[in-house]
Amino acid sequence: MSQASIESAGHVGAAGSGLPGGGTSQSGAGDDLVVAGRAFRSRLMVGTGKFAAHEIMRASLLASGAQIVTVALRRVDLARLGEGDVLDFVPAGMTLLPNTSGAVDAAEAHRLARLGRAATGTDLVKLEVTPDPRTLAPDPVETLRAAELLVADGFTVLPYCSADPVLARRLEEAGCATVMPLGSWIGSNRGLRTRDALEAIIAGAGVPVVVDAGLGVPSDAAEAMEIGADAVLVNTAIAVAADPVLMARAFALATVAGRLGHLAGRAGPGAPTEASASSPLTGFLGAGPATGSGGGAA
Amino acid sequence: MSAPPGVFARELAAVDLPGLSARSQRATPTEVDALLRRVDPGGAGRPAPADARLGLDELAVLLSPAAGARLEDLALAARETTLRRFGRAVRLFAPLYVSNACLSSCTYCGFAKGLPVARRTLDLDEVEAEGRLLADRGFRHLLLVSGEHRVEVSADYLVAVVERLRPLFPSLSIETQTWSDDTYARLVRAGLEGVVHYQETYDRARYAQVHVAGWKRDYDRRLSSFDRAAAAGARRLGIGALLGLAPDWRADVLALGAHAAFLSRRHWRTEVSVALPRIKPSASDFPPVVVVSDAEFVQAHAALRLFGPDLALTLSTREPPAMRDGLARIAVTSMSAGSSTEPGGYGSAGTAQEQFSISDERPPAEVAAMLVRAGYEPVWKDAFPLVDASAQG
């Protein structure tokens, strides 16, 4: 069994206690991310794929300050638990979020999620239905079907989905605990190519919006948080960096910075300063006889 | 001449392979430089280039002697592309040879019909015993290999093998004869994940010369088998060309690239993997008609990676350790290790003829340790059971 506790929701555990080097991975007291009634201080979720070694993955997870870590069930080998399986390297205190990566339709995602629940004991599942191995783009139809199946089966469902405001609403209506729209294709490091759609999803969502996939550099995470995402999930950009541990810290700081920026409320974008001092084009309005307020009297 | 059957056969017939190969010979350093600038992702943290989707023309340039002069730059770009798509991870698998019985006569193969070699087909208990040895060595991905013998290695036999092995291996693939009936569908229902058939060479005339008799002689039957396998639900399709078989290796790599692109487009749910085995000494004593140098071999892999960033590239133990270790850092994403190419060879070597001699004799754990030292995670398991065992009899 994993060292990771799936009952560790809340403000406990070394993983959530802050960053090595004196930084903080959290935006402050009272600003928890709440997923299905469970509170998390960190708004950065991390993945476990593509790392050079399990030890580097573990160090990176710790450096990220993340409290939620997703693991592909296809990579878990129950025969090897305790002997170097990926789950053995997930730090104690982190909340495990098994994912259904590799599932090609709703029935398969459901079956895989049940295997995962039996193996890990958690009812949390990151739903991934990605029949196209090239883009790993989520299948919106099967994802919605799978969400309905999983919710009915008692799972707490966090679906990876297309950046589609209507689909996000439908997933929320189906009972999902979050929605996790993509910023760009998985592993592409292309940032928030779906920004307009993400803004619409965020504006309409009643559950946390977690921007998942495509965040290539820390500033991408900051941007997602600035536009109001509740959390981000990062994997490739950390795992494939020259120094994954340092990159994990960088993403932690960027996530906090973006969150604080969002909470602070940004100034209006790029308005010329003189425009607030006066109104050169419309200042004549109400300034005297030129104002034709008298209807047709002139 | 009538149009060949099969959608890809028609598509390939429209490709001017000799022309592309000549184009490759004429490519200039300036063209290579421009192409390298276009595909260079410039570091793992940088966005994937948006306009880097390459056509066969560009693949020809990447395979050119002019690009060969820029091999290190080519390898660097390929490495960055591989890292982004696949991460620092290499999947490991083992071949399990279940039979060397064969009804096809292929002049380059150690299993060819008529060769006076010791033949053996494993029974189900022997298959399981071999499987258990491989599972104990850590493997969870298994490739079942056989000669082409529809009686000794029948569809019923293969289904039984898959059913016997699936509790041990979440990922099972076959590399057997091609099938034209419902065999692929039966195998997929039994839990098969992948289907591997190498066309060996896409040069029809050369193909006819070396495939003398048997079902494998039918070029189009073989080429169209993937459409049947994919329609049956196979998730991984493996294609390959045997370098050294046809005189123009660049033409075969170009055809392989075209084939991979076709399969990726037409069967969008399947993962396509590509292999470029080089001819090895075997009981056939077949001399390669062209020797692909080590540098050209690396170039071909780097070129295919840049042409198909999503393609799995597979490398067998035919290649020696230095080449395998090197290509794992550039383009290869899937490797066999500790292979025996003889039926029953894991439990007791020397009872039957091997298909070819391997060049990397390191045990799997040693290959895995090499990958770790190179900064890669050896991935033993990257699959889940495809059939619900509890729902089966």
PDB file of all heavy atoms in Angstrom, chain A residues 50-52 54 74-77 80 108 111 133-134 187 189-190, chain B residues 44 48 84-85 88 138 140 235 268 270 375-377 381-383 385:
ATOM      1  N   LYS A  50       6.557  10.665 -16.693  1.00  0.00           N
ATOM      2  CA  LYS A  50       7.649  11.238 -17.477  1.00  0.00           C
ATOM      3  C   LYS A  50       8.895  11.609 -16.676  1.00  0.00           C
ATOM      4  O   LYS A  50       9.819  12.212 -17.220  1.00  0.00           O
ATOM      5  CB  LYS A  50       7.183  12.470 -18.254  1.00  0.00           C
ATOM      6  CG  LYS A  50       6.073  12.193 -19.266  1.00  0.00           C
ATOM      7  CD  LYS A  50       5.810  13.414 -20.112  1.00  0.00           C
ATOM      8  CE  LYS A  50       4.794  13.127 -21.217  1.00  0.00           C
ATOM      9  NZ  LYS A  50       4.556  14.278 -22.061  1.00  0.00           N
ATOM     10  N   PHE A  51       8.930  11.315 -15.390  1.00  0.00           N
ATOM     11  CA  PHE A  51      10.132  11.625 -14.614  1.00  0.00           C
ATOM     12  C   PHE A  51      11.230  10.612 -14.929  1.00  0.00           C
ATOM     13  O   PHE A  51      10.954   9.457 -15.264  1.00  0.00           O
ATOM     14  CB  PHE A  51       9.842  11.600 -13.118  1.00  0.00           C
ATOM     15  CG  PHE A  51       9.126  12.816 -12.626  1.00  0.00           C
ATOM     16  CD1 PHE A  51       7.735  12.848 -12.576  1.00  0.00           C
ATOM     17  CD2 PHE A  51       9.832  13.942 -12.224  1.00  0.00           C
ATOM     18  CE1 PHE A  51       7.066  13.975 -12.128  1.00  0.00           C
ATOM     19  CE2 PHE A  51       9.168  15.069 -11.772  1.00  0.00           C
ATOM     20  CZ  PHE A  51       7.781  15.092 -11.723  1.00  0.00           C
ATOM     21  N   ALA A  52      12.484  11.063 -14.786  1.00  0.00           N
ATOM     22  CA  ALA A  52      13.610  10.181 -15.078  1.00  0.00           C
ATOM     23  C   ALA A  52      13.703   9.053 -14.067  1.00  0.00           C
ATOM     24  O   ALA A  52      14.165   7.965 -14.386  1.00  0.00           O
ATOM     25  CB  ALA A  52      14.901  10.985 -15.078  1.00  0.00           C
ATOM     26  N   HIS A  54      12.005   7.577 -10.011  1.00  0.00           N
ATOM     27  CA  HIS A  54      11.023   7.752  -8.939  1.00  0.00           C
ATOM     28  C   HIS A  54      11.554   8.685  -7.836  1.00  0.00           C
ATOM     29  O   HIS A  54      10.790   9.446  -7.246  1.00  0.00           O
ATOM     30  CB  HIS A  54      10.665   6.394  -8.341  1.00  0.00           C
ATOM     31  CG  HIS A  54       9.840   5.529  -9.258  1.00  0.00           C
ATOM     32  ND1 HIS A  54       9.021   6.044 -10.234  1.00  0.00           N
ATOM     33  CD2 HIS A  54       9.708   4.182  -9.332  1.00  0.00           C
ATOM     34  CE1 HIS A  54       8.408   5.062 -10.870  1.00  0.00           C
ATOM     35  NE2 HIS A  54       8.816   3.914 -10.359  1.00  0.00           N
ATOM     36  N   ARG A  74      -2.544   2.863 -14.972  1.00  0.00           N
ATOM     37  CA  ARG A  74      -1.853   1.951 -15.893  1.00  0.00           C
ATOM     38  C   ARG A  74      -0.396   1.753 -15.504  1.00  0.00           C
ATOM     39  O   ARG A  74       0.229   0.774 -15.905  1.00  0.00           O
ATOM     40  CB  ARG A  74      -1.947   2.492 -17.322  1.00  0.00           C
ATOM     41  CG  ARG A  74      -1.269   3.819 -17.491  1.00  0.00           C
ATOM     42  CD  ARG A  74      -1.663   4.488 -18.782  1.00  0.00           C
ATOM     43  NE  ARG A  74      -1.005   3.877 -19.923  1.00  0.00           N
ATOM     44  CZ  ARG A  74      -1.183   4.284 -21.180  1.00  0.00           C
ATOM     45  NH1 ARG A  74      -2.026   5.271 -21.438  1.00  0.00           N
ATOM     46  NH2 ARG A  74      -0.545   3.718 -22.162  1.00  0.00           N
ATOM     47  N   ARG A  75       0.151   2.706 -14.735  1.00  0.00           N
ATOM     48  CA  ARG A  75       1.549   2.575 -14.320  1.00  0.00           C
ATOM     49  C   ARG A  75       1.694   1.860 -12.977  1.00  0.00           C
ATOM     50  O   ARG A  75       2.796   1.505 -12.585  1.00  0.00           O
ATOM     51  CB  ARG A  75       2.190   3.971 -14.228  1.00  0.00           C
ATOM     52  CG  ARG A  75       2.260   4.703 -15.551  1.00  0.00           C
ATOM     53  CD  ARG A  75       3.277   4.081 -16.493  1.00  0.00           C
ATOM     54  NE  ARG A  75       4.618   4.159 -15.958  1.00  0.00           N
ATOM     55  CZ  ARG A  75       5.407   5.227 -16.071  1.00  0.00           C
ATOM     56  NH1 ARG A  75       4.996   6.290 -16.701  1.00  0.00           N
ATOM     57  NH2 ARG A  75       6.623   5.223 -15.574  1.00  0.00           N
ATOM     58  N   VAL A  76       0.604   1.708 -12.261  1.00  0.00           N
ATOM     59  CA  VAL A  76       0.679   1.074 -10.944  1.00  0.00           C
ATOM     60  C   VAL A  76       0.735  -0.439 -11.112  1.00  0.00           C
ATOM     61  O   VAL A  76      -0.052  -1.017 -11.855  1.00  0.00           O
ATOM     62  CB  VAL A  76      -0.547   1.465 -10.093  1.00  0.00           C
ATOM     63  CG1 VAL A  76      -0.572   0.667  -8.791  1.00  0.00           C
ATOM     64  CG2 VAL A  76      -0.537   2.963  -9.825  1.00  0.00           C
ATOM     65  N   ASP A  77       1.680  -1.063 -10.444  1.00  0.00           N
ATOM     66  CA  ASP A  77       1.818  -2.521 -10.488  1.00  0.00           C
ATOM     67  C   ASP A  77       1.669  -3.049  -9.068  1.00  0.00           C
ATOM     68  O   ASP A  77       2.593  -2.980  -8.260  1.00  0.00           O
ATOM     69  CB  ASP A  77       3.179  -2.896 -11.075  1.00  0.00           C
ATOM     70  CG  ASP A  77       3.276  -4.381 -11.388  1.00  0.00           C
ATOM     71  OD1 ASP A  77       2.371  -5.140 -10.969  1.00  0.00           O
ATOM     72  OD2 ASP A  77       4.249  -4.782 -12.055  1.00  0.00           O
ATOM     73  N   ARG A  80       4.139  -5.087  -7.319  1.00  0.00           N
ATOM     74  CA  ARG A  80       5.414  -4.487  -6.937  1.00  0.00           C
ATOM     75  C   ARG A  80       5.303  -3.506  -5.776  1.00  0.00           C
ATOM     76  O   ARG A  80       6.297  -2.831  -5.444  1.00  0.00           O
ATOM     77  CB  ARG A  80       6.006  -3.737  -8.114  1.00  0.00           C
ATOM     78  CG  ARG A  80       6.521  -4.652  -9.159  1.00  0.00           C
ATOM     79  CD  ARG A  80       7.481  -3.909 -10.030  1.00  0.00           C
ATOM     80  NE  ARG A  80       8.082  -4.854 -10.939  1.00  0.00           N
ATOM     81  CZ  ARG A  80       9.102  -4.571 -11.736  1.00  0.00           C
ATOM     82  NH1 ARG A  80       9.604  -3.366 -11.713  1.00  0.00           N
ATOM     83  NH2 ARG A  80       9.601  -5.469 -12.517  1.00  0.00           N
ATOM     84  N   GLU A 108     -14.625   1.522 -20.202  1.00  0.00           N
ATOM     85  CA  GLU A 108     -13.269   1.178 -19.776  1.00  0.00           C
ATOM     86  C   GLU A 108     -12.792   2.075 -18.635  1.00  0.00           C
ATOM     87  O   GLU A 108     -12.129   1.612 -17.695  1.00  0.00           O
ATOM     88  CB  GLU A 108     -12.327   1.298 -20.973  1.00  0.00           C
ATOM     89  CG  GLU A 108     -10.993   0.665 -20.720  1.00  0.00           C
ATOM     90  CD  GLU A 108     -10.262   0.427 -22.019  1.00  0.00           C
ATOM     91  OE1 GLU A 108     -10.564  -0.569 -22.682  1.00  0.00           O
ATOM     92  OE2 GLU A 108      -9.420   1.252 -22.372  1.00  0.00           O
ATOM     93  N   ARG A 111     -14.358   0.747 -15.514  1.00  0.00           N
ATOM     94  CA  ARG A 111     -13.724  -0.484 -15.036  1.00  0.00           C
ATOM     95  C   ARG A 111     -12.367  -0.184 -14.395  1.00  0.00           C
ATOM     96  O   ARG A 111     -12.026  -0.695 -13.335  1.00  0.00           O
ATOM     97  CB  ARG A 111     -13.542  -1.448 -16.213  1.00  0.00           C
ATOM     98  CG  ARG A 111     -13.103  -2.832 -15.826  1.00  0.00           C
ATOM     99  CD  ARG A 111     -13.256  -3.795 -16.991  1.00  0.00           C
ATOM    100  NE  ARG A 111     -12.527  -3.402 -18.174  1.00  0.00           N
ATOM    101  CZ  ARG A 111     -11.198  -3.533 -18.295  1.00  0.00           C
ATOM    102  NH1 ARG A 111     -10.501  -4.045 -17.300  1.00  0.00           N
ATOM    103  NH2 ARG A 111     -10.597  -3.150 -19.388  1.00  0.00           N
ATOM    104  N   PRO A 133      -4.390   8.664 -29.287  1.00  0.00           N
ATOM    105  CA  PRO A 133      -3.084   8.637 -28.619  1.00  0.00           C
ATOM    106  C   PRO A 133      -2.147   9.745 -29.080  1.00  0.00           C
ATOM    107  O   PRO A 133      -1.115   9.952 -28.452  1.00  0.00           O
ATOM    108  CB  PRO A 133      -2.526   7.254 -28.995  1.00  0.00           C
ATOM    109  CG  PRO A 133      -3.226   6.866 -30.246  1.00  0.00           C
ATOM    110  CD  PRO A 133      -4.583   7.515 -30.186  1.00  0.00           C
ATOM    111  N   ARG A 134      -2.496  10.435 -30.148  1.00  0.00           N
ATOM    112  CA  ARG A 134      -1.599  11.492 -30.625  1.00  0.00           C
ATOM    113  C   ARG A 134      -1.793  12.801 -29.865  1.00  0.00           C
ATOM    114  O   ARG A 134      -0.843  13.355 -29.321  1.00  0.00           O
ATOM    115  CB  ARG A 134      -1.765  11.689 -32.129  1.00  0.00           C
ATOM    116  CG  ARG A 134      -0.933  10.686 -32.910  1.00  0.00           C
ATOM    117  CD  ARG A 134      -1.467  10.421 -34.281  1.00  0.00           C
ATOM    118  NE  ARG A 134      -2.655   9.592 -34.267  1.00  0.00           N
ATOM    119  CZ  ARG A 134      -2.652   8.260 -34.133  1.00  0.00           C
ATOM    120  NH1 ARG A 134      -1.520   7.628 -33.978  1.00  0.00           N
ATOM    121  NH2 ARG A 134      -3.762   7.573 -34.130  1.00  0.00           N
ATOM    122  N   GLY A 187       1.417  17.863 -22.658  1.00  0.00           N
ATOM    123  CA  GLY A 187       2.825  17.734 -23.004  1.00  0.00           C
ATOM    124  C   GLY A 187       3.319  18.733 -24.033  1.00  0.00           C
ATOM    125  O   GLY A 187       4.491  18.732 -24.383  1.00  0.00           O
ATOM    126  N   ASN A 189       3.431  22.043 -23.782  1.00  0.00           N
ATOM    127  CA  ASN A 189       4.060  23.230 -23.191  1.00  0.00           C
ATOM    128  C   ASN A 189       3.636  24.517 -23.885  1.00  0.00           C
ATOM    129  O   ASN A 189       4.384  25.488 -23.886  1.00  0.00           O
ATOM    130  CB  ASN A 189       5.597  23.120 -23.255  1.00  0.00           C
ATOM    131  CG  ASN A 189       6.134  22.090 -22.292  1.00  0.00           C
ATOM    132  OD1 ASN A 189       5.400  21.605 -21.420  1.00  0.00           O
ATOM    133  ND2 ASN A 189       7.389  21.733 -22.434  1.00  0.00           N
ATOM    134  N   ARG A 190       2.462  24.517 -24.475  1.00  0.00           N
ATOM    135  CA  ARG A 190       2.069  25.680 -25.281  1.00  0.00           C
ATOM    136  C   ARG A 190       1.244  26.713 -24.512  1.00  0.00           C
ATOM    137  O   ARG A 190       0.835  27.718 -25.075  1.00  0.00           O
ATOM    138  CB  ARG A 190       1.335  25.222 -26.536  1.00  0.00           C
ATOM    139  CG  ARG A 190       2.275  24.473 -27.487  1.00  0.00           C
ATOM    140  CD  ARG A 190       1.576  23.933 -28.703  1.00  0.00           C
ATOM    141  NE  ARG A 190       1.102  24.980 -29.583  1.00  0.00           N
ATOM    142  CZ  ARG A 190       1.895  25.663 -30.414  1.00  0.00           C
ATOM    143  NH1 ARG A 190       3.178  25.409 -30.440  1.00  0.00           N
ATOM    144  NH2 ARG A 190       1.400  26.584 -31.175  1.00  0.00           N
TER     145      ARG A 190
ATOM    146  N   ALA B  44      13.447  21.816 -23.489  1.00  0.00           N
ATOM    147  CA  ALA B  44      12.242  21.105 -23.051  1.00  0.00           C
ATOM    148  C   ALA B  44      11.147  22.032 -22.552  1.00  0.00           C
ATOM    149  O   ALA B  44       9.975  21.717 -22.619  1.00  0.00           O
ATOM    150  CB  ALA B  44      12.611  20.102 -21.970  1.00  0.00           C
ATOM    151  N   ALA B  48       6.125  23.481 -28.110  1.00  0.00           N
ATOM    152  CA  ALA B  48       6.341  22.689 -29.321  1.00  0.00           C
ATOM    153  C   ALA B  48       6.168  23.612 -30.523  1.00  0.00           C
ATOM    154  O   ALA B  48       5.278  24.454 -30.537  1.00  0.00           O
ATOM    155  CB  ALA B  48       5.335  21.548 -29.378  1.00  0.00           C
ATOM    156  N   ARG B  84       9.743  15.669 -24.856  1.00  0.00           N
ATOM    157  CA  ARG B  84       8.492  16.362 -24.610  1.00  0.00           C
ATOM    158  C   ARG B  84       7.311  15.402 -24.716  1.00  0.00           C
ATOM    159  O   ARG B  84       6.412  15.417 -23.890  1.00  0.00           O
ATOM    160  CB  ARG B  84       8.290  17.506 -25.596  1.00  0.00           C
ATOM    161  CG  ARG B  84       6.906  18.131 -25.380  1.00  0.00           C
ATOM    162  CD  ARG B  84       6.588  19.292 -26.292  1.00  0.00           C
ATOM    163  NE  ARG B  84       7.529  20.366 -26.100  1.00  0.00           N
ATOM    164  CZ  ARG B  84       8.499  20.642 -26.946  1.00  0.00           C
ATOM    165  NH1 ARG B  84       8.657  19.916 -28.020  1.00  0.00           N
ATOM    166  NH2 ARG B  84       9.308  21.631 -26.719  1.00  0.00           N
ATOM    167  N   ARG B  85       7.339  14.568 -25.729  1.00  0.00           N
ATOM    168  CA  ARG B  85       6.186  13.708 -25.960  1.00  0.00           C
ATOM    169  C   ARG B  85       6.165  12.494 -25.030  1.00  0.00           C
ATOM    170  O   ARG B  85       5.117  12.086 -24.562  1.00  0.00           O
ATOM    171  CB  ARG B  85       6.180  13.252 -27.423  1.00  0.00           C
ATOM    172  CG  ARG B  85       5.047  12.317 -27.802  1.00  0.00           C
ATOM    173  CD  ARG B  85       3.690  12.989 -27.578  1.00  0.00           C
ATOM    174  NE  ARG B  85       2.604  12.097 -27.973  1.00  0.00           N
ATOM    175  CZ  ARG B  85       2.183  11.082 -27.233  1.00  0.00           C
ATOM    176  NH1 ARG B  85       2.730  10.832 -26.075  1.00  0.00           N
ATOM    177  NH2 ARG B  85       1.193  10.325 -27.670  1.00  0.00           N
ATOM    178  N   ARG B  88      11.064  11.285 -19.747  1.00  0.00           N
ATOM    179  CA  ARG B  88      12.309  10.551 -19.502  1.00  0.00           C
ATOM    180  C   ARG B  88      11.976   9.123 -19.135  1.00  0.00           C
ATOM    181  O   ARG B  88      12.180   8.682 -18.011  1.00  0.00           O
ATOM    182  CB  ARG B  88      13.094  11.229 -18.382  1.00  0.00           C
ATOM    183  CG  ARG B  88      13.484  12.658 -18.730  1.00  0.00           C
ATOM    184  CD  ARG B  88      14.291  13.308 -17.623  1.00  0.00           C
ATOM    185  NE  ARG B  88      14.544  14.714 -17.916  1.00  0.00           N
ATOM    186  CZ  ARG B  88      15.546  15.135 -18.670  1.00  0.00           C
ATOM    187  NH1 ARG B  88      16.390  14.277 -19.184  1.00  0.00           N
ATOM    188  NH2 ARG B  88      15.699  16.417 -18.898  1.00  0.00           N
ATOM    189  N   GLY B 138      10.420  -9.115 -14.374  1.00  0.00           N
ATOM    190  CA  GLY B 138       9.854  -7.777 -14.275  1.00  0.00           C
ATOM    191  C   GLY B 138       8.946  -7.378 -15.419  1.00  0.00           C
ATOM    192  O   GLY B 138       8.266  -6.359 -15.351  1.00  0.00           O
ATOM    193  N   ARG B 140       5.958  -6.765 -17.920  1.00  0.00           N
ATOM    194  CA  ARG B 140       4.489  -6.763 -17.942  1.00  0.00           C
ATOM    195  C   ARG B 140       3.975  -6.548 -19.361  1.00  0.00           C
ATOM    196  O   ARG B 140       2.789  -6.585 -19.596  1.00  0.00           O
ATOM    197  CB  ARG B 140       3.958  -5.649 -17.026  1.00  0.00           C
ATOM    198  CG  ARG B 140       4.360  -5.798 -15.561  1.00  0.00           C
ATOM    199  CD  ARG B 140       3.698  -6.997 -14.898  1.00  0.00           C
ATOM    200  NE  ARG B 140       4.080  -7.120 -13.490  1.00  0.00           N
ATOM    201  CZ  ARG B 140       5.126  -7.821 -13.044  1.00  0.00           C
ATOM    202  NH1 ARG B 140       5.899  -8.481 -13.902  1.00  0.00           N
ATOM    203  NH2 ARG B 140       5.412  -7.868 -11.764  1.00  0.00           N
ATOM    204  N   ARG B 235      -5.060  -1.859 -30.279  1.00  0.00           N
ATOM    205  CA  ARG B 235      -4.719  -0.496 -29.856  1.00  0.00           C
ATOM    206  C   ARG B 235      -3.338  -0.064 -30.278  1.00  0.00           C
ATOM    207  O   ARG B 235      -3.012   1.114 -30.229  1.00  0.00           O
ATOM    208  CB  ARG B 235      -4.779  -0.402 -28.339  1.00  0.00           C
ATOM    209  CG  ARG B 235      -6.151  -0.611 -27.863  1.00  0.00           C
ATOM    210  CD  ARG B 235      -6.149  -0.678 -26.373  1.00  0.00           C
ATOM    211  NE  ARG B 235      -7.488  -1.029 -25.991  1.00  0.00           N
ATOM    212  CZ  ARG B 235      -8.182  -0.403 -25.054  1.00  0.00           C
ATOM    213  NH1 ARG B 235      -7.627   0.552 -24.366  1.00  0.00           N
ATOM    214  NH2 ARG B 235      -9.402  -0.757 -24.790  1.00  0.00           N
ATOM    215  N   TRP B 268      -7.381   6.472 -35.981  1.00  0.00           N
ATOM    216  CA  TRP B 268      -6.948   7.511 -35.045  1.00  0.00           C
ATOM    217  C   TRP B 268      -6.920   7.039 -33.600  1.00  0.00           C
ATOM    218  O   TRP B 268      -6.312   7.671 -32.757  1.00  0.00           O
ATOM    219  CB  TRP B 268      -7.818   8.760 -35.201  1.00  0.00           C
ATOM    220  CG  TRP B 268      -9.270   8.547 -34.903  1.00  0.00           C
ATOM    221  CD1 TRP B 268     -10.225   8.115 -35.759  1.00  0.00           C
ATOM    222  CD2 TRP B 268      -9.924   8.753 -33.643  1.00  0.00           C
ATOM    223  NE1 TRP B 268     -11.435   8.049 -35.126  1.00  0.00           N
ATOM    224  CE2 TRP B 268     -11.281   8.427 -33.827  1.00  0.00           C
ATOM    225  CE3 TRP B 268      -9.499   9.188 -32.383  1.00  0.00           C
ATOM    226  CZ2 TRP B 268     -12.216   8.510 -32.788  1.00  0.00           C
ATOM    227  CZ3 TRP B 268     -10.421   9.280 -31.358  1.00  0.00           C
ATOM    228  CH2 TRP B 268     -11.762   8.946 -31.559  1.00  0.00           C
ATOM    229  N   THR B 270      -5.473   4.268 -32.633  1.00  0.00           N
ATOM    230  CA  THR B 270      -4.360   3.357 -32.398  1.00  0.00           C
ATOM    231  C   THR B 270      -3.041   4.091 -32.234  1.00  0.00           C
ATOM    232  O   THR B 270      -2.813   5.140 -32.838  1.00  0.00           O
ATOM    233  CB  THR B 270      -4.186   2.372 -33.570  1.00  0.00           C
ATOM    234  OG1 THR B 270      -3.890   3.122 -34.738  1.00  0.00           O
ATOM    235  CG2 THR B 270      -5.428   1.547 -33.796  1.00  0.00           C
ATOM    236  N   GLY B 375      19.480   8.541 -17.086  1.00  0.00           N
ATOM    237  CA  GLY B 375      18.479   9.533 -16.721  1.00  0.00           C
ATOM    238  C   GLY B 375      17.092   9.203 -17.227  1.00  0.00           C
ATOM    239  O   GLY B 375      16.282  10.102 -17.450  1.00  0.00           O
ATOM    240  N   TYR B 376      16.811   7.923 -17.401  1.00  0.00           N
ATOM    241  CA  TYR B 376      15.491   7.497 -17.870  1.00  0.00           C
ATOM    242  C   TYR B 376      14.895   6.489 -16.904  1.00  0.00           C
ATOM    243  O   TYR B 376      15.619   5.677 -16.319  1.00  0.00           O
ATOM    244  CB  TYR B 376      15.578   6.850 -19.261  1.00  0.00           C
ATOM    245  CG  TYR B 376      15.845   7.856 -20.353  1.00  0.00           C
ATOM    246  CD1 TYR B 376      17.126   8.346 -20.564  1.00  0.00           C
ATOM    247  CD2 TYR B 376      14.809   8.337 -21.139  1.00  0.00           C
ATOM    248  CE1 TYR B 376      17.377   9.287 -21.553  1.00  0.00           C
ATOM    249  CE2 TYR B 376      15.046   9.273 -22.129  1.00  0.00           C
ATOM    250  CZ  TYR B 376      16.327   9.748 -22.329  1.00  0.00           C
ATOM    251  OH  TYR B 376      16.563  10.682 -23.297  1.00  0.00           O
ATOM    252  N   GLU B 377      13.580   6.554 -16.782  1.00  0.00           N
ATOM    253  CA  GLU B 377      12.904   5.544 -15.985  1.00  0.00           C
ATOM    254  C   GLU B 377      12.587   4.348 -16.878  1.00  0.00           C
ATOM    255  O   GLU B 377      11.934   4.501 -17.915  1.00  0.00           O
ATOM    256  CB  GLU B 377      11.589   6.089 -15.409  1.00  0.00           C
ATOM    257  CG  GLU B 377      10.909   5.067 -14.498  1.00  0.00           C
ATOM    258  CD  GLU B 377       9.441   5.351 -14.239  1.00  0.00           C
ATOM    259  OE1 GLU B 377       8.974   6.449 -14.567  1.00  0.00           O
ATOM    260  OE2 GLU B 377       8.765   4.442 -13.716  1.00  0.00           O
ATOM    261  N   LYS B 381       5.582  -1.326 -16.637  1.00  0.00           N
ATOM    262  CA  LYS B 381       4.137  -1.479 -16.789  1.00  0.00           C
ATOM    263  C   LYS B 381       3.534  -0.158 -17.221  1.00  0.00           C
ATOM    264  O   LYS B 381       3.671   0.849 -16.526  1.00  0.00           O
ATOM    265  CB  LYS B 381       3.494  -1.936 -15.475  1.00  0.00           C
ATOM    266  CG  LYS B 381       1.968  -2.056 -15.573  1.00  0.00           C
ATOM    267  CD  LYS B 381       1.376  -2.623 -14.293  1.00  0.00           C
ATOM    268  CE  LYS B 381      -0.148  -2.687 -14.377  1.00  0.00           C
ATOM    269  NZ  LYS B 381      -0.789  -1.362 -14.304  1.00  0.00           N
ATOM    270  N   ASP B 382       2.869  -0.166 -18.357  1.00  0.00           N
ATOM    271  CA  ASP B 382       2.210   1.028 -18.876  1.00  0.00           C
ATOM    272  C   ASP B 382       0.923   0.567 -19.561  1.00  0.00           C
ATOM    273  O   ASP B 382       0.645   0.903 -20.703  1.00  0.00           O
ATOM    274  CB  ASP B 382       3.128   1.741 -19.868  1.00  0.00           C
ATOM    275  CG  ASP B 382       2.593   3.112 -20.247  1.00  0.00           C
ATOM    276  OD1 ASP B 382       1.773   3.655 -19.477  1.00  0.00           O
ATOM    277  OD2 ASP B 382       2.975   3.624 -21.306  1.00  0.00           O
ATOM    278  N   ALA B 383       0.152  -0.218 -18.864  1.00  0.00           N
ATOM    279  CA  ALA B 383      -1.043  -0.821 -19.448  1.00  0.00           C
ATOM    280  C   ALA B 383      -1.900  -1.354 -18.306  1.00  0.00           C
ATOM    281  O   ALA B 383      -1.443  -1.474 -17.174  1.00  0.00           O
ATOM    282  CB  ALA B 383      -0.661  -1.960 -20.388  1.00  0.00           C
ATOM    283  N   PRO B 385      -5.273  -4.362 -17.616  1.00  0.00           N
ATOM    284  CA  PRO B 385      -5.919  -5.510 -18.267  1.00  0.00           C
ATOM    285  C   PRO B 385      -7.086  -5.041 -19.129  1.00  0.00           C
ATOM    286  O   PRO B 385      -7.884  -4.212 -18.713  1.00  0.00           O
ATOM    287  CB  PRO B 385      -6.411  -6.353 -17.088  1.00  0.00           C
ATOM    288  CG  PRO B 385      -5.584  -5.919 -15.929  1.00  0.00           C
ATOM    289  CD  PRO B 385      -5.266  -4.477 -16.158  1.00  0.00           C
TER     290      PRO B 385
END
